Amino acid sequence: MSGARTELTLGPNLFNWAPETWRDFYFRIADEAPVSVVYLGETICSKRAPLFDDYYEAVSERLGAAGKTVVHSTLGETASKVDRRLVSDVCERTPDPIEANDASAAFHLRGRPHYIGPLMNVYNEETLRFLAGKGARNICLPIELPFSATRVLCAAAASEEVTIEVQVFGRQSLALSARCYHARAHHRTKDTCRFVCENDPDGLVLETLERTPFLVANGVQTLSYEYLNLVQEIPALKAAGVFRYRLSPHSCDMVRVATTFRSVLDETLATGEALARLEELPIDAPFSNGFHHGRPGHGWTALNPSF
């Protein structure tokens, strides 16, 4: 990929939005957002997937017509026959690119060119080479990796003709559980949740006993309270060889987010000005970049503005 233009991507929507809201969000992304790749599909809870069936094809076609590459993402956790069936259906129903988010999807995709999602935990060169040998062509790294590890994996990926992707915006996925936190918080079970997660478009904020926000629940997923923001780190990531830069969808103005990051990638906007623009977003939490700098993930390190 030497000399190729970097790509801005939009990861799969992690939350349970109303189907019409979900559709309209992606229609706007198709028409207005400067992203090259859009990941579609349910990655958190198989019960949610049928809610979007009526609009999935229309959204995929609209994105494709706008020149976006559509990649279909699989579940990050398979704990039941329904989960396994959804994963196999996604892997077998389309010739489009597929992103594997757990080993069951990787099994279905072996020998076929595919993507590896951040929930697959690629931490070292040997894992990267093994997955490349099975057909992986793009790997989105786990959010907890420090930049020193990202740089090493970029070098290993180049020799395997694999591209590296890094999440640069949005709440960070920290864990998946067999239990649904959203349901338990409302005194319901996972099977009788009645889709209560739809009440929290960016996740359910969890607080300590001292009423300090510190995590976010999203069904079976635990997310960071803070929003990852690596706009300052874009120059270093580019120099290291990162090819794709992932934005995770939220209910804020994602077109503005995408436009800002694209401008930094194109070196038409300084990182300091870009950060100032992102700080104007009406989001309910601070930014973080701790993991990138080898520190606790919730922390923030300010850098000198640069390209």
Side-chain angles (χ1 to χ4, degrees):
M1 285 297 173
S2 177
R5 183 175 186 256
T6 56
E7 292 187 343
L8 189 63
T9 74
L10 186 69
N13 179 26
L14 304 177
F15 306 103
N16 184 16
W17 294 352
E20 292 76 16
T21 301
W22 183 88
R23 175 202 61 196
D24 293 346
F25 171 81
Y26 283 108
F27 280 2
R28 186 177 180 224
I29 291 297
D31 296 342
E32 302 179 33
V35 296
S36 303
V37 179
V38 178
Y39 294 83
L40 290 181
E42 182 55 51
T43 62
I44 305 304
C45 177
S46 59
K47 290 177 64 177
R48 300 176 185 174
L51 301 176
F52 309 102
D53 282 350
D54 289 345
Y55 300 120
Y56 196 97
E57 185 176 353
V59 164
S60 181
E61 290 178 352
R62 180 81 162 256
L63 290 165
K68 321 293 188 190
T69 297
V70 175
V71 180
H72 305 275
S73 294
T74 68
L75 280 176
E77 177 181 70
T78 52
S80 68
K81 290 182 179 179
V82 173
D83 296 343
R84 292 194 294 273
R85 185 164 59 248
L86 177 60
V87 170
S88 64
D89 287 348
V90 171
C91 293
E92 295 169 5
R93 75 186 178 197
T94 176
D96 293 343
I98 305 291
E99 178 184 62
N101 278 302
D102 92 324
S104 66
F107 172 81
H108 287 288
L109 297 169
R110 65 196 186 283
R112 168 184 170 185
H114 59 274
Y115 292 25
I116 296 293
L119 301 178
M120 282 285 286
N121 294 341
V122 179
Y123 290 137
N124 55 60
E125 306 97 306
E126 288 305 311
T127 301
L128 185 149
R129 294 187 186 104
F130 174 83
L131 293 172
K134 300 298 182 181
R137 293 295 175 264
N138 181 78
I139 295 176
C140 187
L141 299 180
I143 51 89
E144 63 267 30
L145 281 183
F147 177 63
S148 57
T150 299
R151 188 165 44 204
V152 170
L153 288 169
C154 282
S159 63
E160 300 293 332
E161 298 186 352
V162 170
T163 52
I164 291 295
E165 184 170 356
V166 170
Q167 181 181 335
V168 293
F169 181 85
R171 283 183 160 144
Q172 304 165 97
S173 181
L174 302 176
L176 295 173
S177 170
R179 292 188 174 185
C180 177
Y181 301 117
H182 250 110
R184 289 176 64 84
H186 292 83
H187 308 290
R188 302 174 189 177
T189 67
K190 187 176 181 180
D191 292 336
T192 61
C193 67
R194 301 198 297 276
F195 299 105
V196 68
C197 52
E198 67 185 0
N199 297 329
D200 302 293
D202 294 304
L204 175 65
V205 176
L206 308 178
E207 297 178 337
T208 66
L209 293 176
E210 292 78 21
R211 299 296 183 185
T212 301
F214 81 118
L215 291 172
V216 164
N218 173 41
V220 300
Q221 182 184 43
T222 302
L223 294 161
S224 64
Y225 170 65
E226 300 79 16
Y227 283 59
L228 173 68
N229 183 354
L230 296 184
V231 75
Q232 301 176 113
E233 288 79 7
I234 292 293
L237 290 168
K238 286 180 66 178
V242 174
F243 180 63
R244 292 189 171 96
Y245 298 79
R246 178 178 296 208
L247 313 175
S248 188
H250 290 275
S251 63
C252 60
D253 187 349
M254 291 303 299
V255 171
R256 180 181 179 87
V257 174
T259 301
T260 301
F261 273 91
R262 186 66 261 175
S263 296
V264 173
L265 287 168
D266 292 339
E267 300 185 6
T268 60
L269 183 68
T271 57
E273 185 177 351
L275 180 59
R277 290 186 185 183
L278 295 172
E279 287 174 339
E280 295 173 355
L281 292 168
I283 60 176
D284 59 357
F287 291 138
S288 68
N289 59 7
F291 284 135
H292 177 88
H293 295 283
R295 299 170 183 170
H298 63 83
W300 175 256
T301 298
L303 304 180
N304 293 325
S306 66
F307 279 112

